Amino acid sequence: MKRIVWMGIGVAIGVIAFRKVSQAQSSLGPEGLNRTVGRLADGVYDFADAVRAGMQERETDLRSALGIESAELVRR
């Protein structure tokens, strides 16, 4: 009975190790590199959008605080 338990534990550890190794290999290959670069580019794009939205909101706040007409925005 002990042998069966230890054999089951060994098989489970082997399966987990195999999955981890396969996962590491897929992330190191060209496809994994493309996915990583794509995620990074998406993150930078989202950050830039958030910064632009914040800048536009702040500019609107400043213009209303200074009493500048919004028609000036159209002339730009």
Side-chain angles (χ1 to χ4, degrees), residues 8-51:
I9 291 172
V11 168
I13 290 173
V15 168
I16 291 170
F18 178 76
R19 286 186 178 182
K20 291 290 183 182
V21 167
S22 297
Q23 196 176 41
Q25 284 178 341
S26 70
S27 68
L28 294 177
E31 296 86 14
L33 182 61
N34 286 341
R35 277 192 305 268
T36 302
V37 170
R39 287 184 197 143
L40 180 63
D42 289 343
V44 169
Y45 183 74
D46 291 343
F47 177 73
D49 281 345
V51 168

Side-chain angles (χ1 to χ4, degrees), residues 52-64:
R52 277 188 226 108
M55 287 172 45
Q56 186 175 14
E57 182 181 335
R58 182 65 179 148
E59 184 176 358
T60 303
D61 292 345
L62 289 172
R63 286 186 177 280
S64 67

